[in-house]
Amino acid sequence: MNRTSQPDPELIHRLTRRGMLGVAAGATATALLGAATTPASAAADATAATDSAPAGRGRPVLPPGRLGIQLYSLRDKVSTLGFAPVFAELEKYGYDEVEFAGYTQGSAGPITLARLRRLARDHGLTPIGSHVGYYSDDPNAYTFAQNLTKVLDDAQALGLKHIGTASGPFRYGSTVDAWKRAAEEFNTYGAAARARGMKFYQHNHSDEFSFATDDPKVRLYDVLLAETDPDLVFLEMDIFWAYAGQFRFSKRPDGGSAPFEPLDYVLRQPHRYPLFHVKDGVSDPSNQFGYRMVDVGDGDIDYQRFISAVTRLRGERMAHHWQTEHDQPAESFTFARRSSAYLHSLREKC
Protein backbone atom coordinates (compact mmCIF):
# COMPACT_ATOMS: atom_id res chain seq x y z
CA MET A 1 0.00 0.00 0.00
CA ASN A 2 1.27 3.44 -0.95
CA ARG A 3 1.48 5.47 2.26
CA THR A 4 1.46 8.74 0.34
CA SER A 5 -1.94 8.07 -1.22
CA GLN A 6 -3.71 6.14 1.54
CA PRO A 7 -4.57 7.14 5.12
CA ASP A 8 -2.15 5.91 7.76
CA PRO A 9 -4.36 4.70 10.66
CA GLU A 10 -1.58 4.72 13.21
CA LEU A 11 -0.61 8.29 12.37
CA ILE A 12 -4.26 9.41 12.37
CA HIS A 13 -4.77 7.64 15.69
CA ARG A 14 -1.77 9.38 17.27
CA LEU A 15 -2.64 12.82 15.95
CA THR A 16 -6.28 12.68 17.00
CA ARG A 17 -5.21 11.68 20.52
CA ARG A 18 -2.21 13.96 20.98
CA GLY A 19 -3.17 16.74 23.33
CA MET A 20 -6.77 15.55 23.18
CA LEU A 21 -9.08 17.09 25.79
CA GLY A 22 -12.34 16.63 23.89
CA VAL A 23 -13.88 13.63 22.22
CA ALA A 24 -13.95 14.60 18.55
CA ALA A 25 -14.21 11.59 16.31
CA GLY A 26 -11.09 12.37 14.31
CA ALA A 27 -10.30 10.98 10.87
CA THR A 28 -11.45 7.59 9.70
CA ALA A 29 -9.07 4.76 8.89
CA THR A 30 -11.68 2.08 8.24
CA ALA A 31 -10.32 1.23 4.82
CA LEU A 32 -7.12 -0.15 6.33
CA LEU A 33 -8.28 -1.34 9.74
CA GLY A 34 -11.26 -3.39 8.58
CA ALA A 35 -14.49 -2.86 6.70
CA ALA A 36 -17.40 -1.45 8.67
CA THR A 37 -20.67 -3.32 9.05
CA THR A 38 -24.14 -1.87 9.40
CA PRO A 39 -25.47 -1.19 12.93
CA ALA A 40 -28.12 -3.86 12.43
CA SER A 41 -25.66 -6.57 11.49
CA ALA A 42 -23.28 -5.50 14.25
CA ALA A 43 -26.06 -5.75 16.82
CA ALA A 44 -26.95 -9.20 15.55
CA ASP A 45 -23.32 -10.25 15.85
CA ALA A 46 -23.23 -8.95 19.42
CA THR A 47 -26.27 -10.98 20.42
CA ALA A 48 -24.88 -14.09 18.78
CA ALA A 49 -21.51 -13.66 20.48
CA THR A 50 -23.12 -13.26 23.89
CA ASP A 51 -25.49 -16.18 23.40
CA SER A 52 -22.79 -18.52 22.10
CA ALA A 53 -20.00 -17.60 24.53
CA PRO A 54 -18.96 -20.83 26.22
CA ALA A 55 -19.61 -20.94 29.95
CA GLY A 56 -16.62 -23.20 30.43
CA ARG A 57 -15.20 -24.45 33.68
CA GLY A 58 -12.25 -23.44 35.75
CA ARG A 59 -11.03 -20.09 36.96
CA PRO A 60 -11.82 -17.11 34.71
CA VAL A 61 -8.79 -15.86 32.80
CA LEU A 62 -9.85 -12.27 33.46
CA PRO A 63 -9.23 -11.23 37.08
CA PRO A 64 -12.33 -9.92 38.87
CA GLY A 65 -12.75 -6.15 38.94
CA ARG A 66 -10.03 -5.52 36.36
CA LEU A 67 -11.92 -5.10 33.07
CA GLY A 68 -11.89 -1.57 31.73
CA ILE A 69 -12.41 0.25 28.46
CA GLN A 70 -10.58 3.13 26.82
CA LEU A 71 -13.30 5.71 26.26
CA TYR A 72 -11.69 6.77 22.98
CA SER A 73 -13.51 3.75 21.55
CA LEU A 74 -16.83 5.35 22.58
CA ARG A 75 -16.06 8.95 21.65
CA ASP A 76 -19.01 9.08 19.26
CA LYS A 77 -21.42 8.07 22.02
CA VAL A 78 -19.88 10.42 24.60
CA SER A 79 -20.11 13.39 22.23
CA THR A 80 -23.77 12.73 21.34
CA LEU A 81 -25.19 11.21 24.54
CA GLY A 82 -22.86 12.37 27.30
CA PHE A 83 -20.97 10.37 29.88
CA ALA A 84 -23.96 9.28 32.00
CA PRO A 85 -25.71 7.12 29.35
CA VAL A 86 -22.36 5.70 28.25
CA PHE A 87 -21.45 4.72 31.82
CA ALA A 88 -24.88 3.14 32.25
CA GLU A 89 -24.27 0.93 29.22
CA LEU A 90 -20.80 -0.05 30.40
CA GLU A 91 -22.23 -1.04 33.77
CA LYS A 92 -24.69 -3.35 31.99
CA TYR A 93 -21.88 -4.88 29.96
CA GLY A 94 -19.89 -5.83 33.05
CA TYR A 95 -17.11 -3.26 32.95
CA ASP A 96 -15.30 -2.29 36.15
CA GLU A 97 -13.05 0.58 35.05
CA VAL A 98 -12.72 3.39 32.52
CA GLU A 99 -9.71 5.08 31.00
CA PHE A 100 -10.23 8.60 29.74
CA ALA A 101 -9.16 10.24 26.48
CA GLY A 102 -10.50 13.67 27.40
CA TYR A 103 -12.82 15.03 30.07
CA THR A 104 -15.35 16.98 27.98
CA GLN A 105 -18.49 15.75 26.25
CA GLY A 106 -18.33 17.59 22.95
CA SER A 107 -21.82 18.52 21.77
CA ALA A 108 -23.38 16.88 24.84
CA GLY A 109 -22.34 19.89 26.94
CA PRO A 110 -19.79 20.75 29.63
CA ILE A 111 -19.21 18.68 32.75
CA THR A 112 -17.13 19.24 35.88
CA LEU A 113 -14.48 16.79 37.00
CA ALA A 114 -16.30 16.30 40.30
CA ARG A 115 -19.49 15.40 38.45
CA LEU A 116 -17.59 13.08 36.12
CA ARG A 117 -16.06 11.25 39.07
CA ARG A 118 -19.47 10.86 40.74
CA LEU A 119 -21.05 9.56 37.54
CA ALA A 120 -18.42 6.86 37.23
CA ARG A 121 -18.83 5.88 40.88
CA ASP A 122 -22.63 5.80 40.58
CA HIS A 123 -22.32 3.22 37.81
CA GLY A 124 -19.77 1.06 39.61
CA LEU A 125 -16.89 2.24 37.43
CA THR A 126 -13.44 3.18 38.68
CA PRO A 127 -11.55 5.85 36.68
CA ILE A 128 -8.21 4.10 36.30
CA GLY A 129 -6.17 6.29 33.93
CA SER A 130 -6.14 8.94 31.24
CA HIS A 131 -4.27 9.79 28.04
CA VAL A 132 -2.81 13.29 27.76
CA GLY A 133 -0.47 14.70 25.12
CA TYR A 134 3.29 14.61 25.71
CA TYR A 135 4.25 18.02 24.24
CA SER A 136 3.12 20.76 21.89
CA ASP A 137 4.47 23.88 20.21
CA ASP A 138 1.63 25.77 21.89
CA PRO A 139 2.80 26.94 25.35
CA ASN A 140 -0.79 26.78 26.59
CA ALA A 141 -1.46 23.26 25.37
CA TYR A 142 -2.86 20.67 27.75
CA THR A 143 0.22 18.43 27.71
CA PHE A 144 2.75 17.09 30.17
CA ALA A 145 5.52 19.30 28.81
CA GLN A 146 3.50 22.52 28.76
CA ASN A 147 1.07 22.16 31.69
CA LEU A 148 2.25 19.39 34.00
CA THR A 149 0.70 20.84 37.15
CA LYS A 150 -2.74 21.25 35.56
CA VAL A 151 -2.63 17.74 34.10
CA LEU A 152 -1.82 16.27 37.51
CA ASP A 153 -4.37 18.48 39.28
CA ASP A 154 -7.13 17.17 37.02
CA ALA A 155 -6.01 13.57 37.36
CA GLN A 156 -5.99 13.93 41.14
CA ALA A 157 -9.47 15.49 41.11
CA LEU A 158 -10.73 12.40 39.26
CA GLY A 159 -9.04 10.06 41.71
CA LEU A 160 -6.87 8.50 39.02
CA LYS A 161 -4.14 6.08 40.03
CA HIS A 162 -2.45 6.35 36.63
CA ILE A 163 -1.89 9.27 34.28
CA GLY A 164 -0.13 8.81 30.96
CA THR A 165 0.42 9.63 27.33
CA ALA A 166 -0.23 7.82 24.07
CA SER A 167 2.43 9.94 22.38
CA GLY A 168 5.65 8.21 21.41
CA PRO A 169 9.01 9.49 22.75
CA PHE A 170 9.86 10.99 19.33
CA ARG A 171 9.98 14.62 20.48
CA TYR A 172 13.68 14.97 19.68
CA GLY A 173 13.93 12.41 16.89
CA SER A 174 14.68 8.71 16.51
CA THR A 175 18.30 8.52 17.61
CA VAL A 176 19.48 6.87 20.81
CA ASP A 177 20.34 10.22 22.37
CA ALA A 178 16.97 11.66 21.35
CA TRP A 179 15.19 8.90 23.21
CA LYS A 180 17.49 9.29 26.22
CA ARG A 181 16.49 12.94 26.31
CA ALA A 182 12.78 12.05 26.13
CA ALA A 183 13.32 9.43 28.84
CA GLU A 184 14.71 12.13 31.15
CA GLU A 185 11.52 14.11 30.69
CA PHE A 186 9.40 11.01 31.34
CA ASN A 187 11.34 10.49 34.57
CA THR A 188 10.46 14.05 35.57
CA TYR A 189 6.76 13.46 34.89
CA GLY A 190 6.96 10.17 36.74
CA ALA A 191 8.48 11.77 39.83
CA ALA A 192 5.80 14.47 39.82
CA ALA A 193 3.05 11.88 39.44
CA ARG A 194 4.45 9.71 42.23
CA ALA A 195 4.47 12.74 44.55
CA ARG A 196 0.70 12.86 43.98
CA GLY A 197 0.22 9.12 44.57
CA MET A 198 -0.08 8.27 40.86
CA LYS A 199 1.89 6.35 38.25
CA PHE A 200 2.96 7.98 34.98
CA TYR A 201 2.78 5.67 31.96
CA GLN A 202 3.45 5.60 28.23
CA HIS A 203 1.19 3.80 25.76
CA ASN A 204 2.88 2.32 22.70
CA HIS A 205 2.02 2.16 19.04
CA SER A 206 4.07 0.06 16.63
CA ASP A 207 6.78 2.65 15.84
CA GLU A 208 8.25 2.34 19.34
CA PHE A 209 9.60 -1.05 18.25
CA SER A 210 11.54 0.41 15.33
CA PHE A 211 15.30 0.88 15.32
CA ALA A 212 17.42 3.92 16.13
CA THR A 213 18.40 5.86 13.03
CA ASP A 214 21.96 6.30 14.28
CA ASP A 215 22.36 2.69 15.45
CA PRO A 216 20.12 0.30 13.51
CA LYS A 217 20.97 -2.56 15.85
CA VAL A 218 19.26 -0.82 18.77
CA ARG A 219 15.50 -1.11 19.19
CA LEU A 220 14.08 2.18 20.45
CA TYR A 221 11.68 0.50 22.88
CA ASP A 222 14.70 -1.02 24.61
CA VAL A 223 16.18 2.45 25.02
CA LEU A 224 12.96 3.64 26.65
CA LEU A 225 12.99 0.74 29.09
CA ALA A 226 16.67 1.13 29.92
CA GLU A 227 16.71 4.92 30.33
CA THR A 228 13.53 5.42 32.35
CA ASP A 229 13.47 4.79 36.08
CA PRO A 230 11.37 1.64 36.69
CA ASP A 231 10.03 3.17 39.88
CA LEU A 232 8.85 6.31 38.08
CA VAL A 233 7.88 5.40 34.52
CA PHE A 234 5.46 2.61 33.66
CA LEU A 235 4.13 1.17 30.42
CA GLU A 236 0.67 0.49 29.06
CA MET A 237 1.20 -2.13 26.40
CA ASP A 238 -1.24 -1.81 23.54
CA ILE A 239 -1.13 -5.47 22.60
CA PHE A 240 -2.43 -5.00 19.06
CA TRP A 241 0.17 -2.37 18.22
CA ALA A 242 2.90 -4.42 19.89
CA TYR A 243 2.14 -7.33 17.56
CA ALA A 244 1.98 -4.90 14.65
CA GLY A 245 5.46 -3.82 15.74
CA GLN A 246 6.54 -7.45 15.75
CA PHE A 247 5.28 -7.76 12.17
CA ARG A 248 6.98 -4.58 11.02
CA PHE A 249 10.27 -4.71 12.92
CA SER A 250 11.41 -8.32 13.26
CA LYS A 251 14.19 -7.44 10.84
CA ARG A 252 16.74 -4.67 11.21
CA PRO A 253 17.11 -2.08 8.43
CA ASP A 254 20.07 -4.06 7.06
CA GLY A 255 17.86 -7.15 6.73
CA GLY A 256 19.29 -8.97 9.73
CA SER A 257 16.91 -11.04 11.82
CA ALA A 258 15.68 -9.36 15.03
CA PRO A 259 12.60 -11.24 16.22
CA PHE A 260 10.88 -10.39 19.47
CA GLU A 261 7.79 -11.49 21.38
CA PRO A 262 5.70 -8.70 23.00
CA LEU A 263 4.66 -10.96 25.86
CA ASP A 264 8.31 -11.54 26.80
CA TYR A 265 8.72 -7.84 27.62
CA VAL A 266 5.94 -8.14 30.17
CA LEU A 267 7.10 -11.42 31.66
CA ARG A 268 10.60 -10.00 32.22
CA GLN A 269 9.34 -6.88 34.04
CA PRO A 270 5.66 -7.39 34.94
CA HIS A 271 5.70 -4.59 37.54
CA ARG A 272 6.32 -2.05 34.76
CA TYR A 273 3.04 -2.90 32.99
CA PRO A 274 0.12 -2.00 35.28
CA LEU A 275 -2.14 -1.33 32.29
CA PHE A 276 -2.88 -3.04 28.98
CA HIS A 277 -4.96 -2.25 25.93
CA VAL A 278 -6.80 -5.35 24.80
CA LYS A 279 -7.28 -4.76 21.10
CA ASP A 280 -7.67 -7.52 18.51
CA GLY A 281 -6.70 -8.01 14.89
CA VAL A 282 -7.08 -10.48 12.06
CA SER A 283 -3.74 -11.45 10.56
CA ASP A 284 -3.31 -9.83 7.15
CA PRO A 285 0.23 -9.82 5.73
CA SER A 286 -0.92 -7.57 2.88
CA ASN A 287 -1.61 -4.84 5.43
CA GLN A 288 1.41 -2.71 6.32
CA PHE A 289 0.76 -3.40 10.01
CA GLY A 290 0.16 -7.13 9.58
CA TYR A 291 -3.36 -7.03 11.07
CA ARG A 292 -6.82 -5.62 10.46
CA MET A 293 -8.38 -4.31 13.66
CA VAL A 294 -11.54 -6.10 14.82
CA ASP A 295 -13.63 -6.50 17.97
CA VAL A 296 -11.92 -8.38 20.79
CA GLY A 297 -12.48 -12.10 20.26
CA ASP A 298 -12.86 -11.86 16.49
CA GLY A 299 -9.15 -11.76 15.74
CA ASP A 300 -6.03 -13.89 15.86
CA ILE A 301 -4.32 -12.51 18.97
CA ASP A 302 -4.42 -15.26 21.59
CA TYR A 303 -5.76 -13.42 24.62
CA GLN A 304 -6.32 -16.57 26.62
CA ARG A 305 -2.59 -17.23 26.36
CA PHE A 306 -1.50 -13.63 26.88
CA ILE A 307 -3.64 -12.74 29.89
CA SER A 308 -3.10 -16.13 31.53
CA ALA A 309 0.66 -15.86 31.17
CA VAL A 310 0.66 -12.53 32.99
CA THR A 311 -1.87 -13.31 35.70
CA ARG A 312 -0.29 -16.67 36.55
CA LEU A 313 2.93 -14.97 37.61
CA ARG A 314 3.39 -15.06 41.36
CA GLY A 315 1.66 -12.08 42.95
CA GLU A 316 0.56 -10.61 39.61
CA ARG A 317 -3.05 -11.73 39.16
CA MET A 318 -4.59 -8.55 40.55
CA ALA A 319 -1.70 -6.23 39.68
CA HIS A 320 -2.83 -5.34 36.14
CA HIS A 321 -5.75 -3.61 34.43
CA TRP A 322 -7.11 -4.74 31.06
CA GLN A 323 -8.73 -2.04 28.91
CA THR A 324 -10.59 -3.03 25.75
CA GLU A 325 -10.20 -0.73 22.77
CA HIS A 326 -11.02 -0.40 19.08
CA ASP A 327 -9.84 2.69 17.21
CA GLN A 328 -12.69 2.69 14.68
CA PRO A 329 -15.45 0.29 15.77
CA ALA A 330 -18.31 -0.27 13.36
CA GLU A 331 -20.73 0.34 16.23
CA SER A 332 -19.09 1.34 19.48
CA PHE A 333 -21.64 -0.01 22.00
CA THR A 334 -21.67 -3.30 20.11
CA PHE A 335 -17.88 -3.44 20.30
CA ALA A 336 -17.94 -2.79 24.04
CA ARG A 337 -20.58 -5.43 24.67
CA ARG A 338 -19.06 -8.16 22.51
CA SER A 339 -15.55 -7.60 23.81
CA SER A 340 -16.65 -7.84 27.43
CA ALA A 341 -18.69 -10.97 26.76
CA TYR A 342 -15.73 -12.66 25.07
CA LEU A 343 -13.18 -11.82 27.77
CA HIS A 344 -15.53 -12.89 30.54
CA SER A 345 -16.07 -16.22 28.76
CA LEU A 346 -12.39 -17.20 28.83
CA ARG A 347 -11.44 -19.91 31.31
CA GLU A 348 -8.01 -21.19 32.21
CA LYS A 349 -7.14 -24.51 30.67
CA CYS A 350 -6.92 -27.40 33.09
Side-chain angles (χ1 to χ4, degrees), residues 174 176 210-220 251-256 258:
S174 299
V176 171
S210 63
F211 297 93
T213 53
D214 60 334
D215 190 345
K217 293 184 178 180
V218 174
R219 194 180 301 279
L220 289 172
K251 288 187 177 180
R252 296 191 297 270
D254 62 5

PDB file of all heavy atoms in Angstrom, residues 174 176 210-220 251-256 258:
ATOM      1  N   SER A 174      14.654  10.165  16.401  1.00  0.00           N
ATOM      2  CA  SER A 174      14.682   8.708  16.512  1.00  0.00           C
ATOM      3  C   SER A 174      16.078   8.158  16.754  1.00  0.00           C
ATOM      4  O   SER A 174      16.349   6.994  16.474  1.00  0.00           O
ATOM      5  CB  SER A 174      14.089   8.079  15.240  1.00  0.00           C
ATOM      6  OG  SER A 174      12.757   8.475  15.061  1.00  0.00           O
ATOM      7  N   VAL A 176      19.354   7.350  19.435  1.00  0.00           N
ATOM      8  CA  VAL A 176      19.481   6.865  20.812  1.00  0.00           C
ATOM      9  C   VAL A 176      19.487   8.043  21.780  1.00  0.00           C
ATOM     10  O   VAL A 176      18.780   8.044  22.799  1.00  0.00           O
ATOM     11  CB  VAL A 176      20.752   6.008  20.977  1.00  0.00           C
ATOM     12  CG1 VAL A 176      20.993   5.686  22.446  1.00  0.00           C
ATOM     13  CG2 VAL A 176      20.645   4.729  20.156  1.00  0.00           C
ATOM     14  N   SER A 210      10.611   0.209  16.450  1.00  0.00           N
ATOM     15  CA  SER A 210      11.538   0.413  15.334  1.00  0.00           C
ATOM     16  C   SER A 210      12.960   0.595  15.863  1.00  0.00           C
ATOM     17  O   SER A 210      13.202   0.547  17.079  1.00  0.00           O
ATOM     18  CB  SER A 210      11.107   1.628  14.508  1.00  0.00           C
ATOM     19  OG  SER A 210      11.156   2.806  15.291  1.00  0.00           O
ATOM     20  N   PHE A 211      13.887   0.821  14.968  1.00  0.00           N
ATOM     21  CA  PHE A 211      15.305   0.884  15.322  1.00  0.00           C
ATOM     22  C   PHE A 211      15.828   2.314  15.259  1.00  0.00           C
ATOM     23  O   PHE A 211      15.354   3.140  14.479  1.00  0.00           O
ATOM     24  CB  PHE A 211      16.112  -0.021  14.388  1.00  0.00           C
ATOM     25  CG  PHE A 211      15.735  -1.469  14.501  1.00  0.00           C
ATOM     26  CD1 PHE A 211      14.769  -2.015  13.660  1.00  0.00           C
ATOM     27  CD2 PHE A 211      16.315  -2.289  15.458  1.00  0.00           C
ATOM     28  CE1 PHE A 211      14.399  -3.344  13.771  1.00  0.00           C
ATOM     29  CE2 PHE A 211      15.949  -3.625  15.578  1.00  0.00           C
ATOM     30  CZ  PHE A 211      14.978  -4.152  14.736  1.00  0.00           C
ATOM     31  N   ALA A 212      16.816   2.597  16.088  1.00  0.00           N
ATOM     32  CA  ALA A 212      17.419   3.925  16.128  1.00  0.00           C
ATOM     33  C   ALA A 212      18.054   4.257  14.787  1.00  0.00           C
ATOM     34  O   ALA A 212      18.727   3.420  14.176  1.00  0.00           O
ATOM     35  CB  ALA A 212      18.466   3.992  17.240  1.00  0.00           C
ATOM     36  N   THR A 213      17.856   5.476  14.337  1.00  0.00           N
ATOM     37  CA  THR A 213      18.395   5.859  13.031  1.00  0.00           C
ATOM     38  C   THR A 213      19.908   5.948  13.041  1.00  0.00           C
ATOM     39  O   THR A 213      20.552   5.800  11.992  1.00  0.00           O
ATOM     40  CB  THR A 213      17.802   7.208  12.587  1.00  0.00           C
ATOM     41  OG1 THR A 213      18.001   8.179  13.630  1.00  0.00           O
ATOM     42  CG2 THR A 213      16.317   7.077  12.306  1.00  0.00           C
ATOM     43  N   ASP A 214      20.508   6.191  14.208  1.00  0.00           N
ATOM     44  CA  ASP A 214      21.962   6.304  14.276  1.00  0.00           C
ATOM     45  C   ASP A 214      22.624   5.000  14.707  1.00  0.00           C
ATOM     46  O   ASP A 214      23.856   4.891  14.701  1.00  0.00           O
ATOM     47  CB  ASP A 214      22.388   7.425  15.229  1.00  0.00           C
ATOM     48  CG  ASP A 214      21.900   7.189  16.645  1.00  0.00           C
ATOM     49  OD1 ASP A 214      20.863   6.494  16.818  1.00  0.00           O
ATOM     50  OD2 ASP A 214      22.538   7.693  17.592  1.00  0.00           O
ATOM     51  N   ASP A 215      21.829   4.003  15.076  1.00  0.00           N
ATOM     52  CA  ASP A 215      22.361   2.695  15.455  1.00  0.00           C
ATOM     53  C   ASP A 215      21.288   1.655  15.161  1.00  0.00           C
ATOM     54  O   ASP A 215      20.499   1.299  16.038  1.00  0.00           O
ATOM     55  CB  ASP A 215      22.755   2.661  16.929  1.00  0.00           C
ATOM     56  CG  ASP A 215      23.531   1.395  17.288  1.00  0.00           C
ATOM     57  OD1 ASP A 215      23.508   0.432  16.488  1.00  0.00           O
ATOM     58  OD2 ASP A 215      24.150   1.357  18.374  1.00  0.00           O
ATOM     59  N   PRO A 216      21.215   1.170  13.934  1.00  0.00           N
ATOM     60  CA  PRO A 216      20.118   0.297  13.505  1.00  0.00           C
ATOM     61  C   PRO A 216      20.093  -1.070  14.184  1.00  0.00           C
ATOM     62  O   PRO A 216      19.203  -1.867  13.896  1.00  0.00           O
ATOM     63  CB  PRO A 216      20.342   0.164  11.998  1.00  0.00           C
ATOM     64  CG  PRO A 216      21.775   0.487  11.781  1.00  0.00           C
ATOM     65  CD  PRO A 216      22.133   1.485  12.827  1.00  0.00           C
ATOM     66  N   LYS A 217      21.027  -1.328  15.072  1.00  0.00           N
ATOM     67  CA  LYS A 217      20.969  -2.565  15.847  1.00  0.00           C
ATOM     68  C   LYS A 217      20.231  -2.369  17.175  1.00  0.00           C
ATOM     69  O   LYS A 217      20.001  -3.342  17.903  1.00  0.00           O
ATOM     70  CB  LYS A 217      22.382  -3.098  16.102  1.00  0.00           C
ATOM     71  CG  LYS A 217      23.100  -3.570  14.845  1.00  0.00           C
ATOM     72  CD  LYS A 217      24.459  -4.180  15.178  1.00  0.00           C
ATOM     73  CE  LYS A 217      25.144  -4.688  13.910  1.00  0.00           C
ATOM     74  NZ  LYS A 217      26.471  -5.291  14.211  1.00  0.00           N
ATOM     75  N   VAL A 218      19.895  -1.130  17.493  1.00  0.00           N
ATOM     76  CA  VAL A 218      19.259  -0.817  18.768  1.00  0.00           C
ATOM     77  C   VAL A 218      17.765  -0.560  18.555  1.00  0.00           C
ATOM     78  O   VAL A 218      17.388   0.326  17.774  1.00  0.00           O
ATOM     79  CB  VAL A 218      19.908   0.413  19.418  1.00  0.00           C
ATOM     80  CG1 VAL A 218      19.151   0.818  20.673  1.00  0.00           C
ATOM     81  CG2 VAL A 218      21.375   0.131  19.742  1.00  0.00           C
ATOM     82  N   ARG A 219      16.942  -1.320  19.255  1.00  0.00           N
ATOM     83  CA  ARG A 219      15.502  -1.105  19.191  1.00  0.00           C
ATOM     84  C   ARG A 219      15.139   0.042  20.145  1.00  0.00           C
ATOM     85  O   ARG A 219      15.528   0.043  21.313  1.00  0.00           O
ATOM     86  CB  ARG A 219      14.757  -2.389  19.582  1.00  0.00           C
ATOM     87  CG  ARG A 219      13.274  -2.364  19.218  1.00  0.00           C
ATOM     88  CD  ARG A 219      12.574  -3.650  19.634  1.00  0.00           C
ATOM     89  NE  ARG A 219      13.140  -4.847  19.039  1.00  0.00           N
ATOM     90  CZ  ARG A 219      12.897  -5.284  17.820  1.00  0.00           C
ATOM     91  NH1 ARG A 219      12.104  -4.579  17.020  1.00  0.00           N
ATOM     92  NH2 ARG A 219      13.442  -6.402  17.370  1.00  0.00           N
ATOM     93  N   LEU A 220      14.375   0.997  19.652  1.00  0.00           N
ATOM     94  CA  LEU A 220      14.075   2.180  20.450  1.00  0.00           C
ATOM     95  C   LEU A 220      13.312   1.848  21.727  1.00  0.00           C
ATOM     96  O   LEU A 220      13.528   2.480  22.769  1.00  0.00           O
ATOM     97  CB  LEU A 220      13.290   3.194  19.612  1.00  0.00           C
ATOM     98  CG  LEU A 220      14.098   3.900  18.518  1.00  0.00           C
ATOM     99  CD1 LEU A 220      13.186   4.732  17.626  1.00  0.00           C
ATOM    100  CD2 LEU A 220      15.184   4.782  19.135  1.00  0.00           C
ATOM    101  N   LYS A 251      12.931  -7.500  11.577  1.00  0.00           N
ATOM    102  CA  LYS A 251      14.194  -7.441  10.843  1.00  0.00           C
ATOM    103  C   LYS A 251      14.769  -6.039  10.985  1.00  0.00           C
ATOM    104  O   LYS A 251      14.034  -5.056  10.964  1.00  0.00           O
ATOM    105  CB  LYS A 251      13.992  -7.778   9.363  1.00  0.00           C
ATOM    106  CG  LYS A 251      13.698  -9.245   9.096  1.00  0.00           C
ATOM    107  CD  LYS A 251      13.680  -9.529   7.601  1.00  0.00           C
ATOM    108  CE  LYS A 251      13.454 -11.004   7.333  1.00  0.00           C
ATOM    109  NZ  LYS A 251      13.430 -11.304   5.870  1.00  0.00           N
ATOM    110  N   ARG A 252      16.078  -5.965  11.140  1.00  0.00           N
ATOM    111  CA  ARG A 252      16.742  -4.672  11.207  1.00  0.00           C
ATOM    112  C   ARG A 252      16.753  -4.025   9.819  1.00  0.00           C
ATOM    113  O   ARG A 252      16.516  -4.702   8.817  1.00  0.00           O
ATOM    114  CB  ARG A 252      18.170  -4.840  11.726  1.00  0.00           C
ATOM    115  CG  ARG A 252      18.257  -5.357  13.151  1.00  0.00           C
ATOM    116  CD  ARG A 252      19.691  -5.222  13.669  1.00  0.00           C
ATOM    117  NE  ARG A 252      20.604  -6.037  12.880  1.00  0.00           N
ATOM    118  CZ  ARG A 252      20.913  -7.300  13.145  1.00  0.00           C
ATOM    119  NH1 ARG A 252      20.364  -7.904  14.190  1.00  0.00           N
ATOM    120  NH2 ARG A 252      21.761  -7.952  12.385  1.00  0.00           N
ATOM    121  N   PRO A 253      17.057  -2.747   9.736  1.00  0.00           N
ATOM    122  CA  PRO A 253      17.105  -2.083   8.427  1.00  0.00           C
ATOM    123  C   PRO A 253      18.075  -2.731   7.442  1.00  0.00           C
ATOM    124  O   PRO A 253      17.869  -2.634   6.230  1.00  0.00           O
ATOM    125  CB  PRO A 253      17.559  -0.658   8.788  1.00  0.00           C
ATOM    126  CG  PRO A 253      17.043  -0.449  10.172  1.00  0.00           C
ATOM    127  CD  PRO A 253      17.194  -1.780  10.852  1.00  0.00           C
ATOM    128  N   ASP A 254      19.125  -3.410   7.968  1.00  0.00           N
ATOM    129  CA  ASP A 254      20.070  -4.064   7.062  1.00  0.00           C
ATOM    130  C   ASP A 254      19.589  -5.454   6.648  1.00  0.00           C
ATOM    131  O   ASP A 254      20.308  -6.167   5.937  1.00  0.00           O
ATOM    132  CB  ASP A 254      21.451  -4.168   7.712  1.00  0.00           C
ATOM    133  CG  ASP A 254      21.458  -5.018   8.982  1.00  0.00           C
ATOM    134  OD1 ASP A 254      20.412  -5.624   9.327  1.00  0.00           O
ATOM    135  OD2 ASP A 254      22.514  -5.097   9.642  1.00  0.00           O
ATOM    136  N   GLY A 255      18.410  -5.845   7.090  1.00  0.00           N
ATOM    137  CA  GLY A 255      17.857  -7.148   6.726  1.00  0.00           C
ATOM    138  C   GLY A 255      18.153  -8.247   7.721  1.00  0.00           C
ATOM    139  O   GLY A 255      17.648  -9.361   7.581  1.00  0.00           O
ATOM    140  N   GLY A 256      18.966  -7.969   8.722  1.00  0.00           N
ATOM    141  CA  GLY A 256      19.286  -8.971   9.729  1.00  0.00           C
ATOM    142  C   GLY A 256      18.080  -9.317  10.591  1.00  0.00           C
ATOM    143  O   GLY A 256      17.231  -8.474  10.872  1.00  0.00           O
ATOM    144  N   ALA A 258      15.790  -9.944  13.689  1.00  0.00           N
ATOM    145  CA  ALA A 258      15.683  -9.357  15.035  1.00  0.00           C
ATOM    146  C   ALA A 258      14.287  -9.639  15.603  1.00  0.00           C
ATOM    147  O   ALA A 258      13.530  -8.721  15.918  1.00  0.00           O
ATOM    148  CB  ALA A 258      15.952  -7.862  14.985  1.00  0.00           C
TER     149      ALA A 258
END
